[in-house]
Amino acid sequence: MGLMAWSRGKLGGGPPGGDLPVPELRFTVLDTELTGLDTRRDDIIAIGALHMQGGRIELGNAFQELVKPTAVLDGRTVVIHGITPSELEARPAIGEVLASFLDYVAGTVLVGHCLALDLAFLNRDARRSGRAPFRNAAVDTLSLFGWLRRRAADHPAFALELPAPSLFDLAEAFEIPVEAAHSAIGDAYITAQVFQRFLPFLQQAGVRSLSGLRRVGDPRRQLANLTDQEGHTHF
């Protein structure tokens, strides 16, 4: 079963407690590293996440775990994320990591860049380990960017002509320093800063609550971009 099939109906459900205004929302900004993009044979090897309260990033309570996969690491993706098989040998399996991660994200809105990919793997592994899928509301920064760009938001970054800019394209456009690129926690922090930059423009455009964020930031809008890729490049 491929990514499109895994994503149908599995990308995050209800709000964390009503249609709250954005400043009152608690977010989990997340990123995963993978052995590859195929949900039929690849695995999660790292999860990194940070909490945000409204537009404030909380650095003191990060989640970061390496995961021992059943899939074999491919040299092409090792070059990207820099995680070697020996680093994963003594790490916990995904079922154990998910137990902690589900507690970490409880009651929060999930945020990620091309988040459909992360959620497809997370929900697959939740099912395999006998757990319910992630029911959190979910927002994709690439979907938000596309929506803001069509409304000509007043910042040079929204003039990017790339059809699906990568996380690092957006970081450069918003002058966000990039360190530890393609580490799960490093990319989660970059994503949090990109999302933080978007919030004032969303406010100006009338997106002021969870329902608005979910409407314009639906992760499923990016599925076509994801399924054509051959490596986990995080776009």
Side-chain angles (χ1 to χ4, degrees), residues 145 148-149 152-162 173-174:
F145 174 81
L148 286 167
R149 176 165 59 182
D154 188 19
H155 190 285
F158 295 109
L160 281 173
E161 296 182 358
L162 298 170
F174 283 98

Side-chain angles (χ1 to χ4, degrees), residues 79-133:
V79 170
I80 294 171
H81 51 61
I83 301 171
T84 63
S86 62
E87 293 179 82
L88 302 176
E89 187 59 36
R91 297 295 180 170
I94 187 62
E96 182 179 342
V97 174
L98 277 181
S100 299
F101 191 55
L102 282 163
D103 287 341
Y104 185 81
V105 306
T108 68
V109 179
L110 305 182
V111 180
H113 194 75
C114 291
L115 184 60
L117 177 63
D118 304 292
L119 286 177
F121 276 89
L122 289 166
N123 282 330
R124 181 204 68 180
D125 290 335
R127 182 190 66 84
R128 287 179 175 177
S129 59
R131 295 178 171 83

Side-chain angles (χ1 to χ4, degrees), residues 42-59:
D42 290 310
D43 286 329
I44 294 171
I45 55 172
I47 302 175
L50 296 161
H51 283 148
M52 292 180 66
Q53 180 65 49
R56 181 171 57 85
I57 301 170
E58 299 177 357
L59 296 176

Side-chain angles (χ1 to χ4, degrees), residues 186-208:
D187 290 0
Y189 182 42
I190 295 168
T191 304
Q193 292 175 87
V194 168
F195 182 57
Q196 187 182 56
R197 301 292 201 280
F198 286 172
L199 289 176
F201 297 105
L202 290 164
Q203 172 81 8
Q204 292 169 15
V207 179
R208 301 185 173 94

Side-chain angles (χ1 to χ4, degrees), residues 12-32:
D19 190 25
L20 295 173
V22 171
E24 295 181 25
L25 291 172
R26 191 156 180 81
F27 300 98
T28 298
V29 188
L30 69 93
D31 184 79
T32 62

Side-chain angles (χ1 to χ4, degrees), residues 9-10 12-15 123 132-137:
K10 300 174 184 283
N123 282 330
F134 288 72
R135 297 297 187 190
N136 307 59

